[in-house]
Amino acid sequence: MASITVQLPQKSYQIAIAPGNLDQLGPKMQPLNLGKKVLLVSNPEIFGHYGERAIASLEQAGFDVSHCILPAGEEYKTPQTLQNIYDAALAHRLERSSTMVALGGGVVGDMTGFAAATWLRGLNVVQVPTSLLAMVDAAIGGKTGVNHPQGKNLIGAFHQPRLVLIDPEVLKTLPVREFRGGMAEVIKYGVIWDVELFTQMENSRGLDEINNLTPGLLEEILIRSCQSKADVVAKDEKESGLRAILNYGHTVGHAVESLTGYTVVTHGEAVGIGMVAASRLAVELGMWNEESDRRQLALIEKASLPTKLPSGLNIEDILVSLQTDKKVKAGKVRFVLATGIGVVTLTDKVSADVLRGVLAGMG
Ligand code: GLY
């Protein structure tokens, strides 16, 4: 289907996208000089669906494979859960030249990436994302980490994968709520980078389920989203500037996730809510118009994502939570706001009162 390169000064890598790729995991890793020992990390459900096929492919290619199963869910993305991966790495006697393979969604990918970044001061990691969200975002670009009770991904490291292997066929078993969460990140790329993707989504008969996408759109979504992410990461690997635009919708989104204990809304749902807030803020600041706001809202609704704050959430708590976000610079919260479809900018000019007003309108 497609091969996209993430161009980096140190080690560039491929995002390989094709139906049936899961069975190509071993052959695709073979030429990359990834050592013999592999620790495959997954969660119970994904491992049940795809673990055997992934392991068979790796073993047929000559890898010595063991596996580690983590509990599923954002609430387990903690330093405590990481210990399971470290214990398995020790038991399997992984070496510096060895490789961890993340087979799962964003939680598995982020934790495996962080374990690979830290065990023996750094092993190889290969990302095999199985959720739409992980395919288009989390698996690409080397952000790894775990959550702290006070905030999402506060403990982490940059650790680029050696390969990202995407098999769109695995989306067949993805729960519909998770598919919609992934669509939030796809809509994000349309707003921040790729106006053509945005209009293709507007023209689709639906965005709420794979089967409701216009034929050919899934392929476009995967290729265009991965290309957008690869472009941005290639220009700013460690987020010293441009990469921050990928956090569109994540500022309020992270606060919502964190304040609701990571159990009430999914990450994608929180990003959808955060994009609604960002859009209203941009309108308030006169940066973009009501028509663009309406078009973005229509896409979020078309993906059946929530557009209101979860009930019971206190607006003042959101404002406090924003202060612990990684996007705070010199004490000021930096927002990514859109100025046109496909164009965003960073600003720290959002006053607490404007934010309060926007959030009050989202209850
Ligand atoms: N998910 C945002 C980033 O990778 O920078």
Side-chain angles (χ1 to χ4, degrees):
M1 198 193 233
S3 172
I4 293 163
T5 304
V6 183
Q7 293 281 2
L8 295 174
Q10 300 270 315
K11 254 194 185 113
S12 300
Y13 56 93
Q14 299 294 310
I15 306 167
I17 310 171
N21 250 352
L22 192 57
D23 301 312
Q24 299 306 313
L25 177 60
K28 287 211 188 288
M29 281 174 53
Q30 224 167 19
L32 299 178
N33 195 16
L34 297 175
K36 190 170 166 60
K37 290 192 178 185
V38 167
L39 177 65
L40 181 119
V41 183
S42 193
N43 70 33
E45 196 180 333
I46 298 297
F47 191 78
H49 284 305
Y50 305 114
E52 215 171 280
R53 271 172 67 195
I55 289 174
S57 174
L58 288 164
E59 287 182 342
Q60 276 159 26
F63 291 102
D64 168 10
V65 189
S66 62
H67 63 269
C68 167
I69 307 298
L70 307 178
E74 185 78 33
E75 67 270 37
Y76 293 106
K77 196 174 146 184
T78 61
Q80 291 72 26
T81 308
L82 269 180
Q83 189 65 41
N84 295 313
I85 309 182
Y86 295 140
D87 290 347
L90 189 67
H92 195 49
R93 305 212 183 291
L94 293 195
E95 299 162 6
R96 273 258 176 86
S97 60
S98 306
T99 300
M100 293 188 186
V101 173
L103 175 71
V107 172
V108 165
D110 282 10
M111 281 201 289
T112 309
F114 188 66
T118 46
W119 188 250
L120 303 181
R121 299 201 176 89
L123 310 183
N124 305 305
V125 65
V126 167
Q127 295 283 352
V128 187
T130 57
S131 70
L132 179 62
L133 188 143
M135 289 178 184
V136 299
D137 183 25
I140 306 164
K143 277 192 183 175
T144 70
V146 293
N147 299 331
H148 183 277
Q150 297 300 313
K152 201 172 151 75
N153 296 332
L154 289 180
I155 307 156
F158 284 99
H159 190 59
Q160 297 291 346
R162 299 292 307 281
L163 169 72
V164 179
L165 188 98
I166 296 177
D167 183 345
E169 283 178 351
V170 306
L171 294 174
K172 282 185 200 144
T173 54
L174 186 70
V176 71
R177 190 173 175 196
E178 284 196 49
F179 175 78
R180 292 171 184 170
M183 283 308 301
E185 299 285 358
V186 177
I187 294 168
K188 176 191 84 177
Y189 291 120
V191 177
I192 67 167
W193 198 254
D194 187 345
V195 64
E196 169 66 23
L197 175 61
F198 192 97
T199 51
Q200 286 191 20
M201 288 189 283
E202 283 184 311
N203 294 334
S204 177
R205 58 172 191 248
L207 295 176
D208 55 335
E209 290 187 30
I210 287 196
N211 294 338
N212 291 341
L213 297 177
T214 293
L217 184 58
L218 179 63
E219 187 174 343
E220 284 287 299
I221 281 173
L222 291 174
I223 294 172
R224 285 184 172 275
S225 301
C226 290
Q227 188 66 61
S228 301
K229 178 105 191 218
D231 289 347
V232 174
V233 170
K235 289 189 166 74
D236 179 21
E237 184 184 353
K238 298 270 170 77
E239 200 169 312
S240 45
L242 178 75
R243 184 166 178 168
I245 70 170
L246 297 173
N247 296 325
Y248 181 65
H250 287 60
T251 311
V252 167
H254 279 174
V256 168
E257 274 188 282
S258 161
L259 289 170
T260 53
Y262 304 106
T263 51
V264 176
V265 290
T266 64
H267 175 66
E269 288 167 351
V271 170
I273 293 165
M275 288 195 293
V276 173
S279 176
R280 290 310 308 164
L281 285 172
V283 171
E284 288 297 321
L285 297 181
M287 295 168 65
W288 89 330
N289 56 33
E290 293 282 356
E291 165 68 3
S292 302
D293 177 62
R294 191 197 55 72
R295 286 175 69 192
Q296 183 197 274
L297 186 65
L299 283 192
I300 295 169
E301 285 172 342
K302 199 169 176 180
S304 288
L305 286 160
T307 57
K308 301 278 183 204
L309 293 172
S311 60
L313 211 55
N314 183 302
I315 290 176
E316 292 309 313
D317 289 345
I318 297 181
L319 268 78
V320 171
S321 173
L322 292 181
Q323 294 298 327
T324 57
D325 198 273
K326 296 184 297 312
K327 292 167 276 297
V328 172
K329 206 169 183 189
K332 292 191 165 176
V333 181
R334 278 189 313 160
F335 276 88
V336 185
L337 298 182
T339 55
I341 291 174
V343 192
V344 281
T345 188
L346 285 161
T347 180
D348 59 8
K349 300 273 182 294
V350 177
S351 72
D353 280 344
V354 171
L355 186 53
R356 272 189 196 99
V358 162
L359 295 174
M362 291 178 60

